[in-house]
Amino acid sequence: MVDRQKRALAVHDISCVGKCSLTVALPIISAAGIECSVLPTAVLSTHTGEFTGYTFRDLASDILPILDHWEQLGIKFDAIYTGYLGSFDQIELVKKLIERFGKDALVMVDPVMGDNGKLYSGFDAAFPSGMAELCKMADIVVPNLTETALMLSEPYIEGPYTPEYINGLCRRLKADFNADIVLTGVSFNKDNLGAAYYGKDASESGYAMQMLIPGSFHGTGDVFGSSLLSALLNGFSLKDAAQAAVELTVDSIRQTEPGREKRYGVRFEAALPGLIKKLGI
Ligand code: PXL
């Protein structure tokens, strides 16, 4: 018999060019056999990292009417995956979305707002505290080290890190959000990079690491988050899902032509057959 197909809702912007957010989440989640419904938060001509002069259309005013229509139709989601939100107001709207549609769904919040110690362009200093409030509604939170420092109001420190420092961050995030934590951008020496996972009930914690490929590649957080969610919805444990997500992310970087400008993203398309195989689809 054919089993029931799971449905995830991806709540991100559409950056028309630059391979991040919905142009990454849709293909990865679909390739993993999951229906990917979308709630676009904004439309930009490109993403905001290393591009200037981009257009930005905030779709906040469409969100509540969309939710009302879905409610009339009785739509249900197995997962809600939120990423880049275009404005502070959208945090409040996404909280309403989770209240209305999140009860039986796996809620994963990637508090997309910065990298390399800095907030992305367009966000003000109050944004991280709003994101931290949203994270309290999540079952699983997937920040990088910059977003972690911003939400914990701690200084950002460059790697490599000690396991004690990383475990301390995970513990504080878990205490604040009461959620599973998967912390990205973790390195313990100059040759490796990966993620720390820290289960809410502390039964599952550890690291998923790979050899480091030098350079800062755009959109890898969304490649990671989308594959993490895909693996979880395919029944993987937190540990195995974190490992699969690190592997897809590193493979996507490996498949990217060496001379390509990093702001145009990574070649995750070439890594999808590997993900499909790993998920056993
Ligand atoms: O990949 C994260 C992301 C998503 N959406 C937009 C961005 C960024 C990162 O810069 O600018 C619009």
Side-chain angles (χ1 to χ4, degrees):
M1 210 182 65
V2 175
D3 59 355
R4 186 183 72 83
Q5 188 182 21
K6 289 190 175 159
R7 177 191 280 144
L9 175 66
V11 186
H12 303 246
D13 68 287
I14 298 174
S15 285
C16 299
V17 167
K19 286 209 264 191
C20 67
S21 43
L22 278 183
T23 63
V24 165
L26 256 170
I28 293 179
I29 293 169
S30 300
I34 295 150
E35 175 184 344
C36 186
S37 300
V38 298
L39 182 58
T41 57
V43 178
L44 297 86
S45 50
T46 64
H47 60 70
T48 66
E50 295 173 65
F51 287 105
T52 52
Y54 50 82
T55 68
F56 181 96
R57 181 171 298 275
D58 188 342
L59 299 180
S61 60
D62 285 344
I63 292 180
L64 287 181
I66 289 173
L67 301 189
D68 291 342
H69 186 211
W70 288 346
E71 214 155 58
Q72 280 167 23
L73 294 170
I75 301 289
K76 301 253 186 299
F77 301 105
D78 296 287
I80 297 176
Y81 165 31
T82 77
Y84 182 96
L85 304 178
S87 64
F88 201 92
D89 292 349
Q90 287 193 6
I91 295 174
E92 293 307 314
L93 292 165
V94 170
K95 283 187 194 161
K96 292 203 171 76
L97 161 76
I98 294 171
E99 278 162 14
R100 287 167 68 174
F101 293 89
K103 202 159 61 61
D104 299 316
L106 175 73
V107 177
M108 184 168 120
V109 173
D110 181 348
V112 175
M113 59 189 156
D115 211 355
N116 301 313
K118 288 198 287 286
L119 265 178
Y120 289 138
S121 127
F123 293 132
D124 64 22
F127 197 77
S129 62
M131 262 302 186
E133 288 303 308
L134 180 63
C135 289
K136 291 182 183 164
M137 299 181 79
D139 299 304
I140 172 163
V141 180
V142 190
N144 62 26
L145 277 129
T146 301
E147 291 149 357
T148 296
L150 289 164
M151 291 192 294
L152 294 176
S153 304
E154 295 182 8
Y156 169 75
I157 297 171
E158 285 200 10
Y161 306 99
T162 62
E164 292 70 31
Y165 175 68
I166 294 298
N167 293 348
L169 292 178
C170 288
R171 213 178 312 115
R172 293 199 283 288
L173 289 168
K174 194 206 76 167
D176 280 5
F177 304 147
N178 190 30
D180 291 342
I181 304 296
V182 179
L183 175 60
T184 62
V186 171
S187 65
F188 296 123
N189 60 53
K190 61 178 182 25
D191 298 324
N192 65 19
L193 185 69
Y197 55 91
Y198 199 91
K200 188 161 115 173
D201 55 14
S203 58
E204 234 188 338
S205 70
Y207 314 105
M209 306 301 290
Q210 280 270 305
M211 290 301 288
L212 172 69
I213 300 167
S216 175
F217 295 84
H218 209 91
T220 48
D222 300 326
V223 171
F224 183 89
S226 303
S227 43
L228 182 77
L229 183 78
S230 297
L232 289 170
L233 289 179
N234 274 286
F236 279 40
S237 65
L238 188 62
K239 171 178 190 268
D240 291 344
Q243 190 63 46
V246 168
E247 283 167 16
L248 182 84
T249 308
V250 169
D251 198 22
S252 302
I253 296 171
R254 239 184 240 129
Q255 304 276 2
T256 307
E257 307 101 279
R260 188 179 162 94
E261 278 186 62
K262 305 227 180 336
R263 61 184 179 167
Y264 287 104
V266 292
R267 195 171 187 174
F268 68 87
E269 299 89 341
L272 287 179
L275 178 73
I276 293 168
K277 198 157 157 222
K278 207 165 291 148
L279 297 179
I281 298 164

